[in-house]
Amino acid sequence: MKAKYQEWLNQAGRKEYMSLSDPIGDMLARIKNSLMRNHAKVKLPSSKFKIKLAEVLKSEGYIIDYKISDEIKPILEINLKYNSGNPVISSIERISKPGRRVFSSAESLPKINNGLGIAIVSTPRGVMTDIDARKQNVGGEIICKVF
């Protein structure tokens, strides 16, 4: 009996693929944790939506680059950006969560730190910043804010 329990304990944390209820929140938490520890790169499971988020972060200059590995389960590797030893992203925060979705029209999109930061918005025309969404006059789900 004790041997079976010990075997079960050893296997408890060894899942190959973990099921997540909020994969975008997991991505943002991994980026935030890696920035706190001054890591150069962060690796996470890839998806089309995560790639679009990484593309927005790259185009706005918050990360250096990203790449996707060609495996059965693709991995997204993000190269983080630092300015004289300090992370370029000082805060990254999830706004719309699975339990409470936050939507906004083009007129009522929030300005992050008086326009110094960005809000990433998922619109019918794709994932974009709040500034681009205002220019195109489209609203959508506010995914996160980055400053």
Side-chain angles (χ1 to χ4, degrees):
M1 181 75 170
K2 189 176 181 182
K4 278 189 175 183
Y5 177 72
Q6 198 62 36
E7 183 181 323
W8 176 79
L9 269 180
N10 290 339
Q11 292 177 353
R14 296 192 184 174
K15 274 190 172 179
E16 290 263 338
Y17 304 106
M18 198 166 87
S19 174
L20 295 172
S21 62
D22 185 14
I24 303 305
D26 177 62
M27 173 187 180
L28 300 178
R30 286 183 192 215
I31 290 172
K32 191 187 304 184
N33 291 341
S34 297
L35 288 168
M36 280 198 249
R37 300 303 305 156
N38 289 333
H39 290 192
K41 297 178 183 179
V42 60
K43 292 182 180 180
L44 48 129
S46 181
S47 71
K48 290 179 184 178
F49 195 76
K50 289 179 186 178
I51 293 167
K52 290 178 184 177
L53 283 177
E55 183 63 43
V56 170
L57 290 173
K58 182 183 174 187
S59 68
E60 292 297 313
Y62 286 106
I63 61 172
I64 296 171
D65 199 13
Y66 68 93
K67 66 180 182 181
I68 302 107
S69 66
D70 294 327
E71 296 176 17
I72 297 168
K73 288 277 189 179
I75 293 176
L76 177 65
E77 186 177 301
I78 298 174
N79 296 328
L80 302 171
K81 191 173 185 180
Y82 295 90
N83 183 13
S84 64
N86 296 324
V88 172
I89 300 173
S90 59
S91 77
I92 184 164
E93 188 179 320
R94 183 89 154 108
I95 302 295
S96 184
K97 299 176 182 174
R100 183 175 184 267
R101 299 288 182 191
V102 179
F103 294 91
S104 180
S105 64
E107 301 83 37
S108 62
L109 281 169
K111 284 197 177 218
I112 309 302
N113 289 28
N114 291 330
L116 294 175
I118 62 164
I120 299 178
V121 184
S122 177
T123 69
R125 295 186 188 161
V127 178
M128 60 184 76
T129 66
D130 57 333
I131 299 158
D132 294 336
R134 272 192 221 95
K135 283 179 187 171
Q136 295 183 24
N137 197 28
V138 291
E141 184 179 357
I142 304 169
I143 303 301
C144 63
K145 64 180 182 180
V146 184
F147 174 69

Short mmCIF file of all heavy atoms in Angstrom, two decimals, residues 31-95:
data_model
loop_
_atom_site.label_atom_id
_atom_site.label_comp_id
_atom_site.label_asym_id
_atom_site.label_seq_id
_atom_site.Cartn_x
_atom_site.Cartn_y
_atom_site.Cartn_z
N ILE A 31 5.48 35.93 -18.47
CA ILE A 31 6.28 37.08 -18.91
C ILE A 31 6.65 37.95 -17.70
O ILE A 31 7.80 38.35 -17.53
CB ILE A 31 5.51 37.90 -19.97
CG1 ILE A 31 5.42 37.11 -21.27
CG2 ILE A 31 6.19 39.25 -20.22
CD1 ILE A 31 4.53 37.74 -22.32
N LYS A 32 5.67 38.22 -16.85
CA LYS A 32 5.90 39.05 -15.66
C LYS A 32 6.94 38.42 -14.73
O LYS A 32 7.85 39.09 -14.26
CB LYS A 32 4.58 39.23 -14.91
CG LYS A 32 4.62 40.28 -13.82
CD LYS A 32 3.36 40.32 -12.97
CE LYS A 32 2.11 40.53 -13.77
NZ LYS A 32 0.91 40.65 -12.92
N ASN A 33 6.82 37.11 -14.50
CA ASN A 33 7.77 36.41 -13.63
C ASN A 33 9.18 36.40 -14.22
O ASN A 33 10.16 36.58 -13.50
CB ASN A 33 7.30 34.99 -13.36
CG ASN A 33 6.06 34.95 -12.50
OD1 ASN A 33 5.73 35.91 -11.80
ND2 ASN A 33 5.35 33.84 -12.56
N SER A 34 9.28 36.21 -15.54
CA SER A 34 10.59 36.20 -16.19
C SER A 34 11.24 37.58 -16.14
O SER A 34 12.45 37.69 -15.98
CB SER A 34 10.45 35.75 -17.64
OG SER A 34 9.98 34.43 -17.70
N LEU A 35 10.43 38.63 -16.28
CA LEU A 35 10.97 39.99 -16.19
C LEU A 35 11.47 40.28 -14.78
O LEU A 35 12.50 40.93 -14.60
CB LEU A 35 9.90 41.01 -16.58
CG LEU A 35 9.56 41.06 -18.07
CD1 LEU A 35 8.30 41.88 -18.29
CD2 LEU A 35 10.70 41.63 -18.88
N MET A 36 10.76 39.79 -13.77
CA MET A 36 11.18 40.01 -12.37
C MET A 36 12.52 39.34 -12.08
O MET A 36 13.29 39.85 -11.28
CB MET A 36 10.12 39.49 -11.41
CG MET A 36 8.96 40.43 -11.21
SD MET A 36 8.08 40.01 -9.72
CE MET A 36 6.57 39.39 -10.38
N ARG A 37 12.76 38.20 -12.73
CA ARG A 37 14.00 37.46 -12.50
C ARG A 37 15.07 37.80 -13.52
O ARG A 37 16.13 37.16 -13.56
CB ARG A 37 13.72 35.95 -12.52
CG ARG A 37 12.73 35.47 -11.49
CD ARG A 37 13.10 35.78 -10.07
NE ARG A 37 14.41 35.28 -9.75
CZ ARG A 37 15.19 35.76 -8.79
NH1 ARG A 37 14.79 36.76 -8.07
NH2 ARG A 37 16.37 35.26 -8.57
N ASN A 38 14.83 38.80 -14.38
CA ASN A 38 15.78 39.26 -15.41
C ASN A 38 16.20 38.15 -16.37
O ASN A 38 17.36 38.06 -16.74
CB ASN A 38 17.01 39.91 -14.78
CG ASN A 38 16.67 41.25 -14.17
OD1 ASN A 38 15.73 41.92 -14.61
ND2 ASN A 38 17.43 41.64 -13.17
N HIS A 39 15.26 37.31 -16.77
CA HIS A 39 15.55 36.27 -17.75
C HIS A 39 15.56 36.89 -19.14
O HIS A 39 14.83 37.84 -19.42
CB HIS A 39 14.50 35.16 -17.70
CG HIS A 39 14.59 34.33 -16.46
ND1 HIS A 39 13.91 33.15 -16.32
CD2 HIS A 39 15.26 34.49 -15.30
CE1 HIS A 39 14.16 32.62 -15.15
NE2 HIS A 39 14.98 33.44 -14.49
N ALA A 40 16.37 36.34 -20.03
CA ALA A 40 16.45 36.85 -21.40
C ALA A 40 15.29 36.33 -22.25
O ALA A 40 14.82 37.02 -23.14
CB ALA A 40 17.77 36.45 -22.02
N LYS A 41 14.85 35.10 -21.96
CA LYS A 41 13.81 34.46 -22.77
C LYS A 41 12.77 33.83 -21.86
O LYS A 41 13.06 33.50 -20.71
CB LYS A 41 14.40 33.36 -23.65
CG LYS A 41 15.39 33.83 -24.67
CD LYS A 41 15.95 32.68 -25.44
CE LYS A 41 17.00 33.18 -26.42
NZ LYS A 41 17.58 32.08 -27.19
N VAL A 42 11.58 33.66 -22.41
CA VAL A 42 10.53 32.90 -21.73
C VAL A 42 9.90 31.95 -22.75
O VAL A 42 9.66 32.33 -23.89
CB VAL A 42 9.47 33.83 -21.07
CG1 VAL A 42 8.80 34.71 -22.08
CG2 VAL A 42 8.45 33.04 -20.30
N LYS A 43 9.72 30.69 -22.34
CA LYS A 43 9.12 29.68 -23.22
C LYS A 43 7.75 29.31 -22.66
O LYS A 43 7.59 29.14 -21.45
CB LYS A 43 9.99 28.43 -23.28
CG LYS A 43 11.30 28.64 -23.99
CD LYS A 43 12.09 27.36 -24.06
CE LYS A 43 13.41 27.59 -24.78
NZ LYS A 43 14.20 26.36 -24.85
N LEU A 44 6.77 29.19 -23.58
CA LEU A 44 5.43 28.81 -23.18
C LEU A 44 4.73 28.09 -24.31
O LEU A 44 5.13 28.21 -25.46
CB LEU A 44 4.63 30.05 -22.75
CG LEU A 44 4.67 31.26 -23.67
CD1 LEU A 44 3.26 31.72 -23.97
CD2 LEU A 44 5.41 32.36 -22.97
N PRO A 45 3.67 27.34 -23.99
CA PRO A 45 2.93 26.66 -25.05
C PRO A 45 2.35 27.67 -26.03
O PRO A 45 1.88 28.73 -25.62
CB PRO A 45 1.80 25.93 -24.30
CG PRO A 45 2.25 25.87 -22.89
CD PRO A 45 3.14 27.04 -22.67
N SER A 46 2.40 27.34 -27.30
CA SER A 46 1.98 28.29 -28.34
C SER A 46 0.53 28.10 -28.75
O SER A 46 -0.02 27.00 -28.66
CB SER A 46 2.88 28.10 -29.56
OG SER A 46 2.52 29.01 -30.57
N SER A 47 -0.09 29.20 -29.17
CA SER A 47 -1.41 29.17 -29.81
C SER A 47 -1.46 30.35 -30.77
O SER A 47 -0.63 31.26 -30.70
CB SER A 47 -2.53 29.25 -28.78
OG SER A 47 -2.60 30.53 -28.21
N LYS A 48 -2.45 30.36 -31.65
CA LYS A 48 -2.56 31.45 -32.62
C LYS A 48 -2.78 32.79 -31.92
O LYS A 48 -2.21 33.80 -32.32
CB LYS A 48 -3.72 31.19 -33.59
CG LYS A 48 -3.48 30.06 -34.55
CD LYS A 48 -4.68 29.84 -35.45
CE LYS A 48 -4.48 28.64 -36.35
NZ LYS A 48 -5.66 28.39 -37.19
N PHE A 49 -3.59 32.79 -30.87
CA PHE A 49 -3.88 34.03 -30.15
C PHE A 49 -2.64 34.56 -29.42
O PHE A 49 -2.37 35.76 -29.41
CB PHE A 49 -5.04 33.81 -29.17
CG PHE A 49 -5.63 35.09 -28.66
CD1 PHE A 49 -6.46 35.84 -29.47
CD2 PHE A 49 -5.34 35.55 -27.40
CE1 PHE A 49 -7.01 37.02 -29.02
CE2 PHE A 49 -5.87 36.72 -26.93
CZ PHE A 49 -6.72 37.48 -27.74
N LYS A 50 -1.87 33.65 -28.82
CA LYS A 50 -0.64 34.06 -28.12
C LYS A 50 0.37 34.64 -29.11
O LYS A 50 1.08 35.59 -28.79
CB LYS A 50 -0.03 32.87 -27.38
CG LYS A 50 -0.81 32.44 -26.17
CD LYS A 50 -0.16 31.25 -25.51
CE LYS A 50 -0.97 30.68 -24.40
NZ LYS A 50 -0.35 29.49 -23.79
N ILE A 51 0.42 34.08 -30.31
CA ILE A 51 1.33 34.59 -31.34
C ILE A 51 0.91 36.01 -31.74
O ILE A 51 1.75 36.89 -31.92
CB ILE A 51 1.36 33.64 -32.56
CG1 ILE A 51 2.02 32.31 -32.16
CG2 ILE A 51 2.08 34.26 -33.73
CD1 ILE A 51 1.85 31.20 -33.15
N LYS A 52 -0.41 36.24 -31.86
CA LYS A 52 -0.89 37.58 -32.20
C LYS A 52 -0.56 38.58 -31.08
O LYS A 52 -0.18 39.73 -31.36
CB LYS A 52 -2.39 37.56 -32.46
CG LYS A 52 -2.75 36.85 -33.75
CD LYS A 52 -4.24 36.80 -33.96
CE LYS A 52 -4.58 35.98 -35.20
NZ LYS A 52 -6.01 35.85 -35.39
N LEU A 53 -0.69 38.15 -29.82
CA LEU A 53 -0.31 39.02 -28.70
C LEU A 53 1.18 39.35 -28.75
O LEU A 53 1.57 40.50 -28.55
CB LEU A 53 -0.64 38.35 -27.36
CG LEU A 53 -2.08 38.35 -26.90
CD1 LEU A 53 -2.20 37.58 -25.60
CD2 LEU A 53 -2.60 39.74 -26.73
N ALA A 54 2.00 38.34 -29.02
CA ALA A 54 3.45 38.55 -29.12
C ALA A 54 3.77 39.50 -30.27
O ALA A 54 4.67 40.34 -30.16
CB ALA A 54 4.17 37.22 -29.29
N GLU A 55 3.04 39.39 -31.37
CA GLU A 55 3.25 40.28 -32.52
C GLU A 55 2.95 41.73 -32.15
O GLU A 55 3.71 42.64 -32.53
CB GLU A 55 2.35 39.83 -33.69
CG GLU A 55 2.53 40.64 -34.95
CD GLU A 55 3.93 40.52 -35.55
OE1 GLU A 55 4.46 39.40 -35.60
OE2 GLU A 55 4.47 41.56 -35.96
N VAL A 56 1.88 41.96 -31.40
CA VAL A 56 1.54 43.33 -30.95
C VAL A 56 2.62 43.85 -30.01
O VAL A 56 3.07 45.00 -30.14
CB VAL A 56 0.15 43.36 -30.27
CG1 VAL A 56 -0.09 44.69 -29.60
CG2 VAL A 56 -0.94 43.07 -31.28
N LEU A 57 3.07 43.01 -29.07
CA LEU A 57 4.13 43.43 -28.13
C LEU A 57 5.42 43.77 -28.88
O LEU A 57 6.12 44.72 -28.54
CB LEU A 57 4.39 42.35 -27.09
CG LEU A 57 3.29 42.13 -26.05
CD1 LEU A 57 3.61 40.91 -25.19
CD2 LEU A 57 3.11 43.36 -25.18
N LYS A 58 5.74 43.00 -29.93
CA LYS A 58 6.94 43.26 -30.72
C LYS A 58 6.80 44.56 -31.52
O LYS A 58 7.73 45.38 -31.55
CB LYS A 58 7.21 42.09 -31.67
CG LYS A 58 8.46 42.27 -32.50
CD LYS A 58 8.66 41.14 -33.46
CE LYS A 58 9.85 41.42 -34.36
NZ LYS A 58 9.99 40.42 -35.42
N SER A 59 5.65 44.76 -32.16
CA SER A 59 5.47 45.96 -32.97
C SER A 59 5.46 47.23 -32.13
O SER A 59 5.85 48.29 -32.61
CB SER A 59 4.17 45.87 -33.78
OG SER A 59 3.05 45.92 -32.92
N GLU A 60 5.07 47.14 -30.86
CA GLU A 60 5.07 48.29 -29.97
C GLU A 60 6.40 48.47 -29.24
O GLU A 60 6.57 49.42 -28.49
CB GLU A 60 3.94 48.17 -28.94
CG GLU A 60 2.56 48.29 -29.56
CD GLU A 60 2.31 49.64 -30.20
OE1 GLU A 60 2.61 50.67 -29.57
OE2 GLU A 60 1.82 49.66 -31.35
N GLY A 61 7.33 47.53 -29.44
CA GLY A 61 8.67 47.66 -28.87
C GLY A 61 8.82 47.18 -27.44
O GLY A 61 9.78 47.54 -26.76
N TYR A 62 7.89 46.35 -26.96
CA TYR A 62 7.98 45.84 -25.60
C TYR A 62 8.82 44.57 -25.49
O TYR A 62 9.31 44.25 -24.42
CB TYR A 62 6.58 45.59 -25.02
CG TYR A 62 5.86 46.86 -24.68
CD1 TYR A 62 4.82 47.34 -25.47
CD2 TYR A 62 6.21 47.61 -23.56
CE1 TYR A 62 4.16 48.51 -25.16
CE2 TYR A 62 5.55 48.78 -23.25
CZ TYR A 62 4.53 49.22 -24.04
OH TYR A 62 3.88 50.38 -23.74
N ILE A 63 8.96 43.82 -26.60
CA ILE A 63 9.82 42.64 -26.62
C ILE A 63 10.73 42.74 -27.84
O ILE A 63 10.44 43.47 -28.79
CB ILE A 63 9.01 41.32 -26.65
CG1 ILE A 63 8.14 41.22 -27.91
CG2 ILE A 63 8.18 41.16 -25.40
CD1 ILE A 63 7.47 39.88 -28.10
N ILE A 64 11.84 42.01 -27.79
CA ILE A 64 12.79 42.03 -28.92
C ILE A 64 12.23 41.24 -30.09
O ILE A 64 12.11 41.74 -31.20
CB ILE A 64 14.16 41.47 -28.49
CG1 ILE A 64 14.79 42.35 -27.42
CG2 ILE A 64 15.08 41.34 -29.69
CD1 ILE A 64 16.04 41.77 -26.79
N ASP A 65 11.89 39.98 -29.83
CA ASP A 65 11.43 39.09 -30.90
C ASP A 65 10.76 37.88 -30.29
O ASP A 65 10.80 37.67 -29.07
CB ASP A 65 12.63 38.66 -31.75
CG ASP A 65 12.21 38.12 -33.12
OD1 ASP A 65 11.04 38.32 -33.50
OD2 ASP A 65 13.06 37.50 -33.79
N TYR A 66 10.16 37.06 -31.12
CA TYR A 66 9.59 35.80 -30.70
C TYR A 66 9.76 34.79 -31.82
O TYR A 66 9.95 35.16 -32.97
CB TYR A 66 8.10 35.95 -30.35
CG TYR A 66 7.22 36.25 -31.53
CD1 TYR A 66 6.60 35.23 -32.24
CD2 TYR A 66 7.01 37.55 -31.95
CE1 TYR A 66 5.80 35.51 -33.34
CE2 TYR A 66 6.22 37.84 -33.05
CZ TYR A 66 5.61 36.81 -33.73
OH TYR A 66 4.83 37.09 -34.82
N LYS A 67 9.76 33.51 -31.45
CA LYS A 67 9.81 32.47 -32.47
C LYS A 67 9.02 31.26 -31.99
O LYS A 67 8.83 31.06 -30.79
CB LYS A 67 11.25 32.08 -32.81
CG LYS A 67 12.04 31.43 -31.72
CD LYS A 67 13.44 31.10 -32.22
CE LYS A 67 14.22 30.39 -31.12
NZ LYS A 67 15.57 30.06 -31.54
N ILE A 68 8.55 30.49 -32.96
CA ILE A 68 7.74 29.32 -32.68
C ILE A 68 8.52 28.09 -33.09
O ILE A 68 9.04 28.03 -34.20
CB ILE A 68 6.39 29.39 -33.45
CG1 ILE A 68 5.62 30.65 -33.07
CG2 ILE A 68 5.53 28.17 -33.15
CD1 ILE A 68 5.63 31.67 -34.15
N SER A 69 8.64 27.11 -32.19
CA SER A 69 9.36 25.89 -32.52
C SER A 69 8.45 24.97 -33.33
O SER A 69 7.23 24.99 -33.17
CB SER A 69 9.80 25.18 -31.24
OG SER A 69 8.67 24.72 -30.53
N ASP A 70 9.06 24.18 -34.20
CA ASP A 70 8.31 23.25 -35.02
C ASP A 70 8.32 21.88 -34.36
O ASP A 70 9.17 21.03 -34.65
CB ASP A 70 8.92 23.15 -36.43
CG ASP A 70 8.79 24.44 -37.19
OD1 ASP A 70 7.78 25.14 -36.98
OD2 ASP A 70 9.68 24.76 -38.00
N GLU A 71 7.38 21.67 -33.48
CA GLU A 71 7.26 20.40 -32.77
C GLU A 71 5.81 19.95 -32.85
O GLU A 71 4.97 20.63 -33.42
CB GLU A 71 7.68 20.56 -31.30
CG GLU A 71 9.13 20.94 -31.11
CD GLU A 71 9.47 21.18 -29.66
OE1 GLU A 71 8.70 20.76 -28.79
OE2 GLU A 71 10.52 21.79 -29.41
N ILE A 72 5.54 18.79 -32.26
CA ILE A 72 4.16 18.30 -32.21
C ILE A 72 3.32 19.31 -31.42
O ILE A 72 2.26 19.72 -31.84
CB ILE A 72 4.10 16.90 -31.57
CG1 ILE A 72 4.87 15.90 -32.44
CG2 ILE A 72 2.66 16.46 -31.37
CD1 ILE A 72 5.14 14.57 -31.79
N LYS A 73 3.81 19.69 -30.24
CA LYS A 73 3.20 20.76 -29.45
C LYS A 73 4.10 21.98 -29.59
O LYS A 73 5.15 22.05 -28.95
CB LYS A 73 3.08 20.36 -27.97
CG LYS A 73 2.05 19.31 -27.69
CD LYS A 73 0.70 19.96 -27.56
CE LYS A 73 -0.31 18.97 -27.06
NZ LYS A 73 -1.63 19.53 -26.88
N PRO A 74 3.75 22.95 -30.44
CA PRO A 74 4.65 24.10 -30.66
C PRO A 74 4.85 24.93 -29.39
O PRO A 74 3.95 25.10 -28.58
CB PRO A 74 3.94 24.92 -31.74
CG PRO A 74 2.58 24.37 -31.86
CD PRO A 74 2.54 23.03 -31.23
N ILE A 75 6.06 25.45 -29.25
CA ILE A 75 6.44 26.27 -28.10
C ILE A 75 6.78 27.67 -28.61
O ILE A 75 7.53 27.84 -29.56
CB ILE A 75 7.62 25.64 -27.35
CG1 ILE A 75 7.18 24.33 -26.71
CG2 ILE A 75 8.18 26.60 -26.31
CD1 ILE A 75 8.26 23.57 -26.02
N LEU A 76 6.20 28.67 -27.95
CA LEU A 76 6.46 30.06 -28.26
C LEU A 76 7.59 30.54 -27.36
O LEU A 76 7.50 30.42 -26.14
CB LEU A 76 5.19 30.90 -28.02
CG LEU A 76 5.28 32.39 -28.22
CD1 LEU A 76 5.58 32.74 -29.67
CD2 LEU A 76 3.98 33.05 -27.80
N GLU A 77 8.66 31.05 -27.97
CA GLU A 77 9.80 31.56 -27.21
C GLU A 77 9.89 33.07 -27.43
O GLU A 77 10.04 33.53 -28.55
CB GLU A 77 11.09 30.89 -27.67
CG GLU A 77 12.29 31.25 -26.84
CD GLU A 77 13.52 30.49 -27.29
OE1 GLU A 77 13.50 29.25 -27.26
OE2 GLU A 77 14.50 31.16 -27.67
N ILE A 78 9.76 33.83 -26.34
CA ILE A 78 9.76 35.29 -26.42
C ILE A 78 11.07 35.82 -25.86
O ILE A 78 11.46 35.46 -24.74
CB ILE A 78 8.56 35.87 -25.63
CG1 ILE A 78 7.25 35.40 -26.24
CG2 ILE A 78 8.61 37.39 -25.60
CD1 ILE A 78 6.02 35.79 -25.45
N ASN A 79 11.76 36.65 -26.65
CA ASN A 79 12.98 37.31 -26.18
C ASN A 79 12.60 38.63 -25.54
O ASN A 79 12.09 39.53 -26.21
CB ASN A 79 13.95 37.56 -27.35
CG ASN A 79 14.44 36.27 -27.95
OD1 ASN A 79 14.57 35.27 -27.28
ND2 ASN A 79 14.68 36.30 -29.25
N LEU A 80 12.84 38.75 -24.25
CA LEU A 80 12.43 39.93 -23.50
C LEU A 80 13.39 41.09 -23.70
O LEU A 80 14.57 40.88 -24.00
CB LEU A 80 12.31 39.58 -22.01
CG LEU A 80 11.34 38.44 -21.71
CD1 LEU A 80 11.45 38.02 -20.26
CD2 LEU A 80 9.92 38.85 -22.03
N LYS A 81 12.89 42.30 -23.53
CA LYS A 81 13.68 43.51 -23.80
C LYS A 81 13.96 44.25 -22.49
O LYS A 81 13.07 44.42 -21.66
CB LYS A 81 12.89 44.41 -24.76
CG LYS A 81 13.68 45.56 -25.33
CD LYS A 81 12.85 46.27 -26.39
CE LYS A 81 13.62 47.34 -27.08
NZ LYS A 81 12.78 48.00 -28.10
N TYR A 82 15.21 44.70 -22.35
CA TYR A 82 15.63 45.46 -21.17
C TYR A 82 16.30 46.75 -21.62
O TYR A 82 16.92 46.81 -22.67
CB TYR A 82 16.61 44.63 -20.33
CG TYR A 82 15.97 43.39 -19.74
CD1 TYR A 82 15.97 42.18 -20.42
CD2 TYR A 82 15.35 43.44 -18.50
CE1 TYR A 82 15.37 41.06 -19.89
CE2 TYR A 82 14.75 42.32 -17.96
CZ TYR A 82 14.76 41.14 -18.65
OH TYR A 82 14.16 40.03 -18.11
N ASN A 83 16.15 47.78 -20.82
CA ASN A 83 16.77 49.07 -21.09
C ASN A 83 17.68 49.40 -19.91
O ASN A 83 17.19 49.68 -18.81
CB ASN A 83 15.70 50.15 -21.28
CG ASN A 83 16.28 51.49 -21.64
OD1 ASN A 83 17.45 51.59 -21.98
ND2 ASN A 83 15.48 52.53 -21.54
N SER A 84 18.99 49.37 -20.11
CA SER A 84 20.01 49.57 -19.08
C SER A 84 19.73 48.73 -17.83
O SER A 84 19.75 49.21 -16.71
CB SER A 84 20.17 51.05 -18.72
OG SER A 84 18.99 51.57 -18.14
N GLY A 85 19.43 47.45 -18.05
CA GLY A 85 19.22 46.51 -16.96
C GLY A 85 17.81 46.46 -16.40
O GLY A 85 17.48 45.55 -15.65
N ASN A 86 16.97 47.44 -16.74
CA ASN A 86 15.59 47.45 -16.26
C ASN A 86 14.65 46.94 -17.36
O ASN A 86 14.84 47.28 -18.53
CB ASN A 86 15.16 48.86 -15.87
CG ASN A 86 15.96 49.39 -14.70
OD1 ASN A 86 16.31 48.64 -13.80
ND2 ASN A 86 16.26 50.67 -14.74
N PRO A 87 13.62 46.15 -16.99
CA PRO A 87 12.70 45.65 -18.01
C PRO A 87 11.92 46.79 -18.66
O PRO A 87 11.54 47.77 -18.01
CB PRO A 87 11.76 44.73 -17.25
CG PRO A 87 12.08 44.84 -15.82
CD PRO A 87 13.31 45.65 -15.66
N VAL A 88 11.70 46.68 -19.97
CA VAL A 88 10.92 47.68 -20.71
C VAL A 88 9.46 47.64 -20.25
O VAL A 88 8.81 48.67 -20.12
CB VAL A 88 11.04 47.44 -22.23
CG1 VAL A 88 10.10 48.34 -23.01
CG2 VAL A 88 12.47 47.67 -22.68
N ILE A 89 8.94 46.43 -19.99
CA ILE A 89 7.57 46.27 -19.48
C ILE A 89 7.63 46.43 -17.96
O ILE A 89 8.15 45.57 -17.26
CB ILE A 89 6.99 44.89 -19.85
CG1 ILE A 89 6.95 44.71 -21.36
CG2 ILE A 89 5.61 44.71 -19.24
CD1 ILE A 89 6.55 43.31 -21.80
N SER A 90 7.09 47.53 -17.45
CA SER A 90 7.09 47.71 -16.00
C SER A 90 5.86 47.05 -15.37
O SER A 90 5.91 46.61 -14.22
CB SER A 90 7.15 49.19 -15.62
OG SER A 90 6.05 49.88 -16.16
N SER A 91 4.75 46.99 -16.11
CA SER A 91 3.60 46.23 -15.62
C SER A 91 2.81 45.68 -16.80
O SER A 91 2.64 46.36 -17.82
CB SER A 91 2.70 47.10 -14.74
OG SER A 91 1.92 47.96 -15.51
N ILE A 92 2.35 44.45 -16.65
CA ILE A 92 1.50 43.82 -17.65
C ILE A 92 0.39 43.14 -16.85
O ILE A 92 0.65 42.35 -15.96
CB ILE A 92 2.29 42.85 -18.54
CG1 ILE A 92 1.43 42.27 -19.65
CG2 ILE A 92 2.98 41.76 -17.76
CD1 ILE A 92 2.21 41.62 -20.77
N GLU A 93 -0.86 43.52 -17.15
CA GLU A 93 -1.98 43.10 -16.31
C GLU A 93 -3.15 42.64 -17.16
O GLU A 93 -3.52 43.31 -18.12
CB GLU A 93 -2.39 44.31 -15.46
CG GLU A 93 -3.40 44.03 -14.40
CD GLU A 93 -3.72 45.29 -13.60
OE1 GLU A 93 -2.80 46.06 -13.31
OE2 GLU A 93 -4.90 45.48 -13.30
N ARG A 94 -3.73 41.52 -16.79
CA ARG A 94 -4.90 40.96 -17.49
C ARG A 94 -6.13 41.77 -17.10
O ARG A 94 -6.35 42.05 -15.93
CB ARG A 94 -5.07 39.50 -17.06
CG ARG A 94 -6.21 38.77 -17.75
CD ARG A 94 -5.73 38.13 -19.02
NE ARG A 94 -6.53 36.98 -19.39
CZ ARG A 94 -7.36 36.98 -20.41
NH1 ARG A 94 -7.54 38.05 -21.14
NH2 ARG A 94 -8.03 35.91 -20.70
N ILE A 95 -6.93 42.16 -18.08
CA ILE A 95 -8.15 42.92 -17.81
C ILE A 95 -9.37 42.01 -17.95
O ILE A 95 -10.10 41.81 -16.99
CB ILE A 95 -8.28 44.14 -18.77
CG1 ILE A 95 -7.07 45.07 -18.64
CG2 ILE A 95 -9.58 44.88 -18.51
CD1 ILE A 95 -6.93 45.75 -17.31
#
